[in-house]
Amino acid sequence: MPNLKDELHHSGWNTCSSCFSDSTKSRSKLVLPGLISSRVYIIDVGSEPRAPKLHKVIEPKDIHAKCELAYLHTSHCLASGEVMISSLGDPQGNGKGGFVLLDGETFEVKGTWERPGGAAPLGYDYWYQPRHNVMVSTEWAAPRVLRDGFNPADVEAGLYGNHLHVWDWQRHEIVQTLPLKDGLIPLEVRFLHNPDAAQGFVGCALSSTVQRFYKNEGGTWSVEKVIQVPPKKVKGWMLPEMPGLITDILLSLDDRFLYFSNWLHGDLRQYDVSDPQSPRLAGQIFLGGSIVKGGPVQVLEDQELKSQPEPLVVKGKRVAGGPQMIQLSLDGKRLYVTTSLYSAWDKQFYPDLIREGSVMLQIDVDTVKGGLKLNPNFLVDFGKEPLGPALAHELRYPGGDCSSDIWI
């Protein structure tokens, strides 16, 4: 990129399965917002994916002027052909969960998707389901709270999110706000891929829960906790109890398996969600994390493990950090994982990541019985980048994937 300190974080396509009926559309442009800079890069990958070109740069001032939004996160394409990007805040760093609309052809900033004055108090991720006239958005925190690192006092002060916002898809306005019990910092949200489904899941990072949201018999929306990762009592860490910190969740394309990462505990999990109300643990693997043997943290009490996991070494490299962003192959057999969350939090929780760079690993998935197994021959080491160690975050498939595509 031609600029520094953008904090490239998440990405999306100019078009996806929501535009399936339009044969003129092609998935040729990657939309890459800067979480901190609020700059948006449009990358042309259509003609030669191995040699992408910078197609356009949308400067922050354009977004600030037309939308009064900043700190941009999730990008999805819409059936209208437009591109929509969620925001965490306003240009001053206060919380503001709004949505920037881009023209899908010219990538000009059109304004906000929500009505004037109708933004949520906090923002992060979103997913929409037109057959139910609904969109659900989540909350991290105001940018000024999270930007420079995690302070436990901010949790005590109630500055981190714990709500889901339910929007009327046609009217572009919030119709319900659902408080989450044991639901601090709801991050990634996933409806089931089946467009008829009126339910989905959200991963709540700090509470380390997965919550199921669903349309109830009265036609409004409800939420219930379906998975709880218990904290571990520890010594040698910033707090006496360490949460798992669920930072990414993913549904397989057939909606059978739910995957999530515990960035601090260091494990990746696979749950059978054939019955979405009663997920069943089907696979688990440890890939680094904060509680490995020989590290600074001693586990005093653990409801799940009998001993601390071994450090992970792949192709001679000891892996720093823990499993963070995940992406699944379309056949569900290969799960890819990276280890960086966000540079300011990486620096705080895993300082080795800053020095060594992150990695990408590949997990082989048993899609019949369930189960996860590390591929010992696969390693992408971002510590060896020509310009120095890099922190890799989200992963995308050129043809669309489990978290980019929405069916309508």
Side-chain angles (χ1 to χ4, degrees), residues 35-36 38 70-72 87-97 121-123 140-149 159-160 342 345:
L35 179 66
I36 295 301
S38 307
Y71 301 92
L72 305 180
S87 77
L88 273 69
D90 65 16
Q92 291 74 44
N94 304 304
K96 190 176 184 183
L122 297 172
W140 187 359
R144 58 182 171 76
V145 171
L146 64 89
R147 188 169 45 202
D148 299 324
L159 299 181
Y160 277 94
Y342 160 61
W345 288 37

Side-chain angles (χ1 to χ4, degrees), residues 296-307:
V297 177
Q298 179 185 355
V299 178
L300 304 176
E301 190 177 311
D302 194 326
Q303 297 179 41
E304 295 184 316
L305 301 178
K306 293 181 179 178
S307 62

Side-chain angles (χ1 to χ4, degrees), residues 91-118:
Q92 291 74 44
N94 304 304
K96 190 176 184 183
F99 302 89
V100 175
L101 268 185
L102 305 180
D103 185 283
E105 299 292 333
T106 65
F107 300 101
E108 292 296 318
V109 180
K110 298 180 72 172
T112 62
W113 175 83
E114 74 277 7
R115 294 184 174 191

